[in-house]
Amino acid sequence: MRITIEHVNMIYPTGKQALHDISLTMESPSLIGLLGPNGAGKSTLMKLLVAGLLPSSGDITVDGEPLVKCEQALKAKLGCLPQHFGLYDELTVWQFLDYMAALKGCSDSRAAIDEALAATGLKELRKTRIRTLSGGQRQRVGIAQALLGMPEFLIFDEPTVGLDPEERIRFRNLFSETAQNKLVLLSTHIIDDVQSVCNRLIIIDHGRILFTGTPEELIRQASGHVGVFPCAASIRRDSGLHITSRINTAKGVLCRGVAKTLPPEAEAAEPTLEDAYLYLITKEGQ
Ligand SMILES: Nc1ncnc2c1ncn2[C@@H]1O[C@H](COP(=O)(O)OP(=O)(O)OP(=O)(O)O)[C@@H](O)[C@H]1O
């Protein structure tokens, strides 16, 4: 599957321009991390991709065909976990998935539900009413319904919200396995979720693409802009320095920070993906 977005603008009826001239290509198999601060335009972009919104201008094509013409065909191949996902509280997990499988038109709903329950570790909770589930368990049900029928194109908006660290690791592995032969788009604020599993990152801010490439390429861009220095170091006002952590050492408190120009006292440090993301976002914000 290949999705092409060309010069897409999205202006809401309020006049708010949420996306500015976005052009991108996404192709399976891949696991793409979509990152950006609050209000960057991530959900808007995902709504456009599932034809939940129409762009104000620009084109979106799926395997060369305009999305508006193949919307139904795309929906048959799509699994989606939106950010605000409503569950039917009075149904059991199984009943809910059965209902969702019917809406999706799964040909063998029993097998599809069993597979989704197994992938999300929900087998034991299949007879439990949704209203009695914890936040993390509800989120797993949301992920399970997206996986029903193992669609070719999966979109997850903040899928690990409410999951504990162990579950997050489990889902990271699940997304990575799922993406072996599919197109998976994962929107998140949690850098750890994309670290090591996503083969491509798309970073947007204020509705504009700031970066597309591999995590390694992003880290490379921050090389020489991450350092450790005494917290009292002389800091140039125009350096755009952002402190990422403070470390208590025998020599006093040291700061780790990212900046276009590091303080002269700074010792260069190896950037992490989080440093590189922060550097990109803050550099562009200046
Ligand atoms: N229905 C709407 N009408 C008007 N403006 C909207 C609407 N939905 C979103 N916006 C605005 O468009 C911009 C992008 O919003 P969007 O929800 O796409 O961002 P996001 O990156 O998903 O944010 P978050 O990470 O906080 O969910 C924001 O300024 C938001 O206020």
Side-chain angles (χ1 to χ4, degrees):
M1 177 176 278
R2 184 186 167 92
I3 299 183
T4 309
I5 303 172
E6 280 176 307
H7 301 296
V8 160
N9 287 286
M10 178 65 208
I11 305 167
Y12 281 109
T14 55
K16 169 76 196 175
Q17 181 152 8
L19 295 176
H20 299 258
D21 197 27
I22 299 282
S23 294
L24 280 173
T25 302
M26 293 181 278
E27 212 166 347
S28 58
S30 50
L31 174 47
I32 302 173
L34 179 61
L35 292 169
N38 286 124
K42 304 180 293 296
S43 298
T44 304
L45 180 60
M46 286 187 289
K47 284 178 197 158
L48 291 174
L49 289 174
V50 300
L53 281 175
L54 282 178
S56 309
S57 62
D59 300 303
I60 303 178
T61 57
V62 181
D63 293 329
E65 214 184 325
L67 177 58
V68 278
K69 288 198 183 148
C70 59
E71 194 185 323
Q72 286 315 316
L74 177 75
K75 283 189 174 156
K77 299 180 200 162
L78 176 74
C80 183
L81 173 69
Q83 199 171 27
H84 303 290
F85 183 67
L87 297 172
Y88 294 87
D89 276 359
E90 291 312 315
L91 299 184
T92 64
V93 171
W94 176 279
Q95 286 168 337
F96 173 70
L97 292 177
D98 194 33
Y99 172 65
M100 293 305 286
L103 285 184
K104 280 189 167 187
C106 289
S107 51
D108 184 352
S109 62
R110 182 169 283 269
I113 297 169
D114 277 338
E115 193 176 19
L117 286 173
T120 50
L122 283 169
K123 264 189 171 164
E124 262 127 63
L125 293 172
R126 65 191 184 282
K127 291 182 184 159
T128 308
R129 284 201 195 283
I130 285 171
R131 79 176 133 77
T132 66
L133 297 178
S134 72
Q137 290 166 340
R138 292 172 75 94
Q139 193 66 357
R140 281 200 256 159
V141 178
I143 295 171
Q145 66 74 34
L147 294 175
L148 283 169
M150 292 293 161
E152 267 179 69
F153 180 29
L154 282 153
I155 292 189
F156 295 108
D157 199 352
E158 303 281 350
T160 60
V161 164
L163 299 180
D164 64 31
E166 203 186 326
E167 283 178 314
R168 287 220 323 259
I169 293 169
R170 204 174 123 200
F171 278 103
R172 238 179 272 159
N173 294 336
L174 172 67
F175 298 140
S176 152
E177 273 166 40
T178 309
Q180 298 289 316
N181 54 355
K182 299 180 195 320
L183 178 57
V184 181
L185 184 63
L186 189 80
S187 159
T188 182
H189 286 104
I190 304 166
I191 308 288
D192 275 354
D193 281 352
V194 296
Q195 179 110 40
S196 74
V197 292
C198 290
N199 54 357
R200 187 167 163 216
L201 300 179
I202 298 171
I203 303 180
I204 59 174
D205 193 14
H206 299 293
R208 291 192 164 84
I209 294 178
L210 301 188
F211 174 86
T212 73
T214 64
E216 295 71 31
E217 282 162 353
L218 181 67
I219 288 174
R220 226 172 290 139
Q221 287 190 1
S223 179
H225 298 284
V226 182
V228 176
F229 44 86
C231 283
S234 51
I235 293 170
R236 273 176 48 192
R237 288 184 125 258
D238 62 350
S239 67
L241 182 73
H242 287 263
I243 308 288
T244 53
S245 60
R246 286 169 193 271
I247 317 144
N248 281 314
T249 70
K251 289 190 230 155
V253 184
L254 294 180
C255 287
R256 183 183 172 97
V258 300
K260 225 183 244 177
T261 315
L262 290 166
E265 302 87 335
E267 245 180 65
E270 206 54 46
T272 62
L273 190 60
E274 193 151 13
D275 291 328
Y277 170 74
L278 188 69
Y279 177 61
L280 178 79
I281 295 287
T282 54
K283 179 174 70 140
E284 297 296 329
Q286 285 164 38

